[in-house]
């Protein structure tokens, strides 16, 4: 994969994947996730069945990206699906909101009609060129849900690319420093209304 900065600044090729294409390309996509999140090698084997199961959920959509100079090599992946009360993530966020003091009415409202942004990852060699932004905009384009919700690890001063991207695109706090069952790290749950449109800014 090229690490030259210039070619990345060309618009990425975005591909919407069917569930069958997504499952077939898991061996390409999971290493992007592991590298992007700096998880230990081998994490991809645990994740494969879960990602595959997610591809069967209602309202699921996935978008991958490649670079124009190498269209057959994926460098980024994003997917999500329509949130629903029987889902683990929904139940976790519900309990986080309850502990944060939200009223039952506010919780029902927040979790009543949302798209869960489940994964968004750009390979480290390709980060910093707005590929993540392009993927997110495509993934959310034309969604029927009222809002989009996501969770991301807390980092000091919100100082990483994920936080900068989400804040730039108008995501606001829903729950902060939330610890999901089975993961000791604190996460933030962020959300915003749909549609998501951005005025295209000039290149810096
Ligand atoms: C988070 C992530 C998906 C963002 O994707 P990305 O393509 O790297 O980032 P973006 O689309 O936000 O592009 C960001 C870069 O575009 C550039 N950029 C932003 N606004 C710009 C503008 N108006 N004009 C020109 N360039 C701009 C900047 O260089 C910016 O980098 P910076 O945030 O370090 O300053 C990716 O970095 C990643 O996979 N990170 C690791 C995994 C992760 O954290 N995933 C999310 C977990 S919830």
């Amino acid at each position: 994969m090229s690490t030259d900065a210039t070619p990345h600044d060309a618009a990425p090729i975005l591909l919407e994947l069917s569930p069958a294409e997504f499952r077939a390309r898991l061996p390409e996509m999971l290493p992007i996730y592991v590298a992007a999140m700096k998880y230990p090698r081998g994490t991809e084997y645990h994740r494969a069945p879960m990602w595959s199961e997610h591809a069967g959920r209602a309202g699921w959509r996935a978008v991958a990206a490649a670079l124009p100079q190498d269209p057959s090599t994926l460098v980024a992946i994003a997917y999500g699906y329509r949130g629903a009360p029987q889902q683990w993530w929904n139940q976790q966020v519900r309990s986080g909101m309850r502990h944060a003091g939200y009223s039952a009415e506010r919780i029902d409202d927040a979790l009543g009609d949302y798209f869960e942004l489940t994964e968004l990852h750009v390979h480290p060699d390709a980060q910093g060129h707005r590929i993540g932004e392009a993927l997110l905009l495509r993934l959310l384009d034309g969604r029927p849900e009222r809002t989009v919700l996501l969770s991301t690890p807390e980092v000091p001063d919100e100082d990483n690319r994920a936080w900068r991207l989400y804040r730039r695109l108008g995501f606001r706090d829903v729950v902060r420093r939330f610890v999901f069952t089975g993961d000791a790290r604190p996460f933030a749950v962020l959300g915003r209304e749909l549609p998501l449109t951005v005025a295209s800014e000039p290149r810096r």
Side-chain angles (χ1 to χ4, degrees), residues 158-174:
E158 304 184 1
D159 186 15
N160 72 8
R161 285 214 165 101
W163 276 93
R164 283 193 290 275
L165 172 65
Y166 298 139
R167 290 307 198 200
R168 198 167 71 240
L169 294 184
F171 282 81
R172 292 185 295 274
D173 293 353
V174 177

Side-chain angles (χ1 to χ4, degrees), residues 117 120 122 130-137 150 158 160-171 190 196 198:
L117 172 65
L120 171 64
V122 178
R130 305 182 88 178
I131 295 173
E133 178 184 285
L135 271 186
L136 188 50
L137 292 177
L150 63 88
E158 304 184 1
N160 72 8
R161 285 214 165 101
W163 276 93
R164 283 193 290 275
L165 172 65
Y166 298 139
R167 290 307 198 200
R168 198 167 71 240
L169 294 184
F171 282 81
L190 305 177
L196 170 54
V198 285

